[in-house]
Structures are given as structure tokens and as C-alpha cells.
């Protein structure tokens, strides 16, 4: 009997590629919301904006305050 669970592994070039592959594979519905922090990398923000334009999702921008003391 095979005791190894059915696991799928994907090899990608970097974290941005991984994020894009993941979110573009999900079944988005209009009105759903993605929470995005104001410090998000621009490539991530562009993908989320693409999802908004394509599927009608909402983007909730959350400010992350960074204290430099």
C-alpha cells in the first residue's frame, strides 16, 4: 500500500512567479476581496489589479506602518 499522500509540487523561478501562478489558477468571482498591503511589490500589485479588471474582484488596501526610530 502506498503511504505517501497525493502531493503536487511545482517548480517556479521566484516568489512573484509562484504568486502569479497561484492566484491566476483560482476560480475568482466578482465581488470577492483581496487584501493588499501598501508595501506590496509592484509586480504583485499589477497582478491583483489584473484580477480586478478581469473578474471584478475588490482590492482592500491596508496601510502597514513602519517605525524607524
Amino acid at each position: 500500500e502506498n503511504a505517501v499522500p497525493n502531493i503536487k509540487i511545482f517548480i517556479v523561478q521566484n516568489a512573484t512567479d509562484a504568486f502569479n501562478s497561484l492566484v491566476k489558477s483560482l476560480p475568482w468571482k466578482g465581488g470577492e476581496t483581496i487584501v493588499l498591503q501598501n508595501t506590496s511589490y509592484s509586480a504583485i500589485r499589477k497582478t491583483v489589479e489584473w484580477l480586478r479588471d478581469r473578474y471584478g474582484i475588490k482590492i482592500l488596501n491596508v496601510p502597514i506602518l513602519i517605525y524607524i526610530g
Side-chain angles (χ1 to χ4, degrees):
E1 183 176 326
N2 187 355
V4 178
N6 184 10
I7 298 174
K8 295 180 182 177
I9 297 175
F10 299 92
I11 306 298
V12 294
Q13 293 181 355
N14 53 49
T16 301
D17 191 27
F19 176 81
N20 290 341
S21 297
L22 174 69
V23 298
K24 288 181 177 182
S25 71
L26 296 173
W28 295 101
K29 296 177 185 169
E32 291 181 308
T33 302
I34 290 182
V35 177
L36 193 64
Q37 63 192 30
N38 63 332
T39 57
S40 295
Y41 187 60
S42 63
I44 300 298
R45 182 168 298 283
K46 287 180 182 181
T47 298
V48 171
E49 290 170 351
W50 179 86
L51 291 169
R52 178 198 60 207
D53 297 342
R54 181 173 176 108
Y55 297 106
I57 65 164
K58 297 175 184 175
I59 301 172
L60 176 60
N61 291 295
V62 177
I64 303 295
L65 303 176
I66 300 173
Y67 174 75
I68 301 174

